[in-house]
């Protein structure tokens, strides 16, 4: 019998050292998720599963090295629900920075952080600081990437409204892990677009169920198209990270 906490999902790549050596990719992809409530029908690991689904899609389309996920993030706004676990922003910053440093020592020059949780704000700072020091790091997907993918997939709910456990997340899990989506999402829609005090009051001030969005509109077909759209959008990011910097000598300038 399928237990309510049972997940037949492999989140860890099975590569050996020889596989990595043979592949020789100079770009690594790190999924970063969270462990937080996603209403009564999606698992606590939803953001990690979404980040991993996006990362796998990228690894299937580009020569990148797929890393195991960071499964706990900054979910303090969800603390009122059982099961939610958080790291401090300082800890998450240090974890991602250390991973990037370790990769560089082994010859991997660029790191793509695939963020599955909007509350992981600190990841933007990690990328900013790394870039300022001359490192090659990117945060993906950007809001624009999600918007392009949303339109391609026919997702009706805007990114503002589709805040948590809504049409997008439900669609991706219906496609990637349908066995983990429980009944009830079809009647769980709840919309509250004005959330200006969210960081001060937390999610429980705005939703009793934990849902903000329209999960009833989710479908596996939309999930498949969302991932395909994000993979297409990644082309520009990949090109940016793999661009070869050419140093022009004084003689060549003359």
């Amino acid at each position: 019998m399928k237990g309510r906490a049972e997940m037949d999902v492999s989140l860890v790549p099975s590569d050996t050292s020889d596989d990595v050596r043979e592949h020789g990719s100079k770009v690594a992809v790190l999924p970063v998720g969270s462990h937080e409530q996603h209403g009564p029908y999606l698992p606590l690991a939803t953001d990690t599963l979404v980040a991993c689904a996006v990362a796998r899609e990228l690894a299937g389309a580009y020569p990148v090295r797929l890393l195991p996920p960071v499964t706990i993030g900054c979910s303090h706004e969800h603390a009122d629900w059982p099961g939610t676990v958080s790291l401090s922003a300082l800890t998450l910053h240090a974890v991602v920075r250390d991973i990037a440093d370790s990769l560089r020592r082994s010859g991997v020059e660029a790191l793509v952080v695939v963020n599955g949780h909007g509350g992981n704000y600190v990841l933007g700072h990690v990328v900013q600081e790394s870039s300022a020091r001359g490192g090659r790091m990117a945060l993906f997907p950007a809001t624009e990437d999600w918007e392009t993918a949303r339109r391609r997939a026919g997702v009706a709910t805007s990114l503002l409204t589709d805040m948590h456990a809504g049409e997008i997340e439900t669609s991706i899990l219906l496609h990637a892990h349908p066995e983990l989506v429980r009944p009830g999402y079809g009647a769980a829609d709840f919309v509250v677009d004005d959330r200006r005090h969210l960081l001060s009051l937390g999610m429980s001030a705005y939703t009793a169920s934990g849902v903000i969005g329209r999960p009833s509109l989710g479908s596996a077909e939309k999930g498949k198209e969302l991932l395909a759209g994000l993979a297409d959008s990644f082309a520009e990011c990949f090109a940016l990270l793999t661009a070869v910097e050419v140093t022009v000598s004084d003689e060549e300038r003359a």
Side-chain angles (χ1 to χ4, degrees), residues 104 109-112 130-131 134-138 240-245:
R104 280 193 291 271
E109 300 169 356
L111 176 64
V112 179
S130 175
S131 300
R136 293 193 179 189
M137 191 182 293
L240 179 68
L241 290 174
T242 56
V244 177
E245 294 182 5

Side-chain angles (χ1 to χ4, degrees), residues 49-94:
L49 294 170
V50 169
C52 286
V54 174
R56 284 195 302 269
E57 195 80 11
L58 301 185
Y62 300 87
V64 298
R65 175 181 166 189
L66 182 60
L67 298 174
V70 178
T71 60
I72 297 177
C74 302
S75 301
H76 312 285
E77 70 274 25
H78 298 274
D80 288 336
W81 278 269
T84 296
V85 182
S86 286
L87 298 176
S88 71
L90 186 64
T91 298
L92 184 57
H93 185 293

Side-chain angles (χ1 to χ4, degrees), residues 93 96-98 100-101 104 125-137:
H93 185 293
V96 176
R97 183 194 61 209
D98 286 355
D101 289 345
R104 280 193 291 271
H125 299 147
V126 180
V127 173
Q128 279 183 319
E129 293 167 15
S130 175
S131 300
R133 292 193 302 266
R136 293 193 179 189
M137 191 182 293

